[in-house]
Each structure stands twice: as structure tokens, then as C-alpha cells.
Amino acid sequence: MIKKLRKKFIIAAMCAILIVLESIILAVNIVNYHHLVEKADTLTEWIVSEGGSFGDAIAGDSSGIDPGAQNGQNQNEQPPEVPDDLNSDTTPPDKSDGKNATEEQKNPPDNIGKDHMGFSKETPFETRYFTVTFDSDGNMSDCDTGKIAAIDEDSAKEYAGEVYTSSKITGFFDIYRYRVTETEDGTMIVFVDCRQEITTVKNFAVNSFGISTLGLAAVFVLVVFFSKLVFRPVAESYKKQKQFITDASHGLKTPLTIIDANTEIIEMDNGESQWTKSIRNQVHRLTTMTQQLITLSKLDEGEVNGEKTKFSLSDALVDCVQPFETPAMMQNKTIETDIADEIRLNGEEKTIRQLFDILLDNAVKYSTPDSTIRVHLYTKGNKVILTVWNETEPIPQGNLDQIFERFYRLDEARNSEKGGSGIGLSVAKAVVAAHKGKISAFSEDGHSMLIKVVW
């Protein structure tokens, strides 16, 4: 039980961490890809707005050009001779002007080095792109591959032709982000090389998921280690609880045996009465309950007491049905069986027979008078299936797996009248689990119950 609980805790913790971690990694990669697309689209918009190039927005900025060149003066030419009378001018230079010049050199104007559309002055020289223009008749009228070395004119025309026929405005073609726009000359398609950005995004995605996987493995080791420490007090408490149940059950056997023996002596001396009969019924009920508690305590870890062997499940079920036919007949109930021959199971035969007894006893006890109980054992593929069906008083419709919980009762009053302990079906579930099977209960109409066991 504790091992299963710890395993479920580890699985739940790792699933939660996996979902959160991978969601974060996925979100970061989506943001990176979005930035890539946004940057590429901005570049294509810029080139389109300048008619197929970067224009003078940055490349033509004259802020860094020598003033002499701006005035049309050749920098190699010697400055004109200065008249002697000017050379003899004794007027001292304006120190304030020299100071201002120094300040301007230290603090250049704001427009120098300023970004354009979020890009630096180097962007036009770093960006590789090409353009292709189609005339109004759909023929290629111009192809400019001067700003890219990886694409020749034929490849550029091939790419542009496929994009032109796709009727898309923007998107990716291989490693190129393109944009289609209408101009006075026709339709222009701009392609921007995004190889470096795509490689960066891909590498980040691979590395991030790889690192997250290693991190998840490390977290798994830590969770396994610390879960052992966390569940140690629970395991000790559960062990003490099991030991208490076993000791208490064994301790009850002796007084119950004495009470039963004394009741028998009283009946020998005074004859049977409703009081002695009631005592015997309650002793039998307590004896059955203590035995079931012991069995349940031993089966909680999914282990069986005896050695597993290959035995005939069909013969075991036939043997178990026969003792219940008489009490069923006394209540005008009929047990119909459909048991396939030679169905074998690898398991502990004693506990499997105990499972059959519990299911048949439950069906006989809680079926309505003058009804039929159907027992069916068959195979489906490589699965062995047992079903026990019986009519009942009104019960909830649909899934009824809660009846396999300890001390659970669908109808408290009716179960008390029948003498049920509320443990039998819990033992049945433990027996099935110990044999790697699954048990379920279902009511299709609210007036019948089907218990199904699958191995």
C-alpha cells in the first residue's frame, strides 16, 4: 500500500514539474520565434517602403561626413593662401569657440548613431536580401541579387515564382522571410535571409529542451530520495496499524471460540432458543469479520500467502457455486452459470476460491427474492473475464466501484439486516489486485448490479 502510494506521489510530482517546466520552455521558444518573425517582417517592410533597398534612412546619413567634403572641397587640395595681413592679425583666437568644439566632440548631437525602426546603422550592411519584380502581366521584369551571395538570379526567380503563385502576402520560404507588395511597376517580392536567426532559435530550442530533460532527471532522483524520507513515518504508522489489526483479530478468536462453545453447552442443557441462535449468528459474523481483516491486512501489499501455481479456474468456480445453490433455492433464487471449460490461471488457488465465495455470497445476500443470479466465466483474447450479475433493490445507476472501499455500504439498514460486515468486497478487490487483475461494479438500470473481474 505504502509502495503504491509513494509511487503515485512520485508520478504526480514529476508530472506536475514536467508540465510546468516544459510549458515555460515552450513559451520562451515561442517568444523567440515571434521575435524572429517580427524582426524579419520589420526588415521586409523597411525594404519595401524604400522601393527595394534600405534607401537613405541610415546608409545615407551624412552626419559622419567630413565638413570639407560636404562643401565640395577636395580634402587633398591645399587650403588657399592666407594674406599676410591676416597672418599678422594679432587677435587671439576665440577660446570659447575652441572649448565649444571640444564639447561637441565629447557630446555629439543626438541624431548621430540613432537607431532606425529599432535597428542600428550597421543593419543595412549586415542584412542579406534580394528582390524580384513582376509586371502587370505576371512576367518577371526585374531581379536584384546584388545584396546576397548565396542566391543567384535563377534561384531568385524560382523562389519568387513559387511565392507569386501561392497568393500569400508574407511568410517563410526555406530560410527566407518574404513580403509581397504592389508597386507602380507591378508586384515586388522581397526576400530577407534569416539563416542566422533561424539557426539561433533552433539551437536554443534544442539546448533548452535538452537541459530541461537533464534537469528533470535530476529532479526525479531528488524526488525519489526525499519521498523515501517523507513516507518513512507513514510507512511506520501503517506497519503498526497492520500489526494492530492482525493482533486484535487473533486476540478476538479466543473469546469468540469460548462464547461459541458456551452457547453450544447452553443449548445442550436448555435447548436452542432465539437468544442462543442470535448469539451464534453474531459470533459467526465477528469470526468472519476478523478473518477477513487478517486476510485484507496480508493482501494490502498485493502479495498472496501461498505459492502461485497454474490451476483450473473453471473447476474452482464450479466447486464454489455448488454450496450456494441450496441457500439460493431456499429464497426462491436461481443461479445460472455459463462457465467455459479449461480456463486456467496462474495464481494462489485458495485466495481465488475465497474471491468466488465473496462474490457469490454478496449476490445471494443482496439479490431480490425470486430472482436469477448469473455467473459467467469466459476468455476474450488473452484476457480471462468473470462476471456476476444479480437483480437488486433500487441502487444508484452507473459506476459503483465505491462498494469495494472498506466498510462502505450502499444501504446501511439493508446491509445490517443481511449481516454484512462491509469488508468482504474490499478483500475481493485485494485478491484481484494481488493477481494483477482489475475488478469493477456497474448498474445499468439502477435495479441490477454487474461485478466484473478481468485478469
Side-chain angles (χ1 to χ4, degrees), residues 15 125 130 284 286 318 321 352 378 407 417 420 424 429 442 454:
C15 286
F125 306 100
F130 62 95
H284 175 71
L286 284 173
V318 170
V321 169
I352 292 296
Y378 61 100
F407 304 107
E417 293 174 3
K429 181 181 179 180
F442 187 82
V454 181

Side-chain angles (χ1 to χ4, degrees), residues 432-450:
V432 173
H435 287 81
K436 311 301 181 185
K438 184 178 180 181
I439 188 170
S440 59
F442 187 82
S443 178
E444 185 176 0
D445 53 11
H447 294 279
S448 64
M449 178 186 294
L450 176 70

Side-chain angles (χ1 to χ4, degrees), residues 198-443:
I198 292 175
T199 301
T200 301
V201 170
K202 285 183 177 180
N203 289 341
F204 181 85
V206 172
N207 293 336
S208 61
F209 280 105
I211 293 173
S212 67
T213 301
L214 294 177
L216 197 65
V219 171
F220 174 75
V221 174
L222 294 175
V223 168
V224 170
F225 174 74
F226 286 111
S227 66
K228 187 176 181 179
L229 299 179
V230 170
F231 279 89
R232 183 176 295 169
V234 181
E236 292 176 357
S237 176
Y238 183 71
K239 184 178 179 180
K240 292 178 181 178
Q241 178 185 342
K242 285 179 61 179
Q243 189 62 43
F244 170 77
I245 293 174
T246 302
D247 293 344
S249 299
H250 283 295
L252 286 172
K253 280 186 175 181
T254 300
L256 288 174
T257 302
I258 295 173
I259 293 173
D260 188 52
N262 290 341
T263 304
E264 186 176 352
I265 293 173
I266 292 173
E267 287 181 339
M268 290 173 63
D269 292 340
N270 303 311
E272 185 181 26
S273 66
Q274 62 176 343
W275 312 115
T276 57
K277 186 176 180 180
S278 176
I279 292 173
R280 279 182 171 278
N281 289 337
Q282 295 305 319
V283 167
H284 175 71
R285 182 180 177 185
L286 284 173
T287 302
T288 302
M289 184 184 297
T290 54
Q291 185 59 46
Q292 288 176 340
L293 284 172
I294 294 173
T295 303
L296 188 59
S297 179
K298 292 178 179 179
L299 290 172
D300 266 342
E301 294 299 329
E303 300 176 356
V304 294
N305 296 328
E307 183 180 353
K308 288 185 177 181
T309 58
K310 198 88 170 180
F311 68 96
S312 175
L313 197 65
S314 303
D315 294 343
L317 182 56
V318 170
D319 293 342
C320 291
V321 169
Q322 289 177 352
F324 288 94
E325 289 179 345
T326 300
M329 191 180 300
M330 293 175 63
Q331 302 176 49
N332 294 324
K333 300 175 183 179
T334 305
I335 299 179
E336 294 181 355
T337 59
D338 182 5
I339 302 173
D341 297 329
E342 297 304 322
I343 295 181
R344 303 181 70 80
L345 182 71
N346 185 34
E348 209 281 305
E349 185 173 356
K350 182 179 178 181
T351 55
I352 292 296
R353 286 177 177 268
Q354 185 177 6
L355 166 67
F356 292 157
D357 289 341
I358 291 171
L359 297 182
L360 290 167
D361 180 64
N362 184 78
V364 172
K365 274 184 179 179
Y366 302 110
S367 58
T368 55
D370 305 318
S371 63
T372 300
I373 300 167
R374 299 189 181 96
V375 180
H376 189 192
L377 179 67
Y378 61 100
T379 58
K380 186 175 182 180
N382 60 346
K383 299 290 185 182
V384 177
I385 301 174
L386 167 68
T387 60
V388 179
W389 179 91
N390 62 276
E391 296 178 8
T392 66
E393 298 293 338
I395 58 175
Q397 192 172 346
N399 188 291
L400 298 174
D401 287 350
Q402 64 270 25
I403 66 174
F404 300 109
E405 301 298 326
R406 299 178 191 182
F407 304 107
Y408 181 86
R409 298 167 183 255
L410 287 174
D411 189 326
E412 187 71 29
R414 192 183 307 133
N415 278 275
S416 298
E417 293 174 3
K418 300 292 184 180
S421 62
I423 303 176
L425 291 177
S426 299
V427 175
K429 181 181 179 180
V431 172
V432 173
H435 287 81
K436 311 301 181 185
K438 184 178 180 181
I439 188 170
S440 59
F442 187 82
S443 178

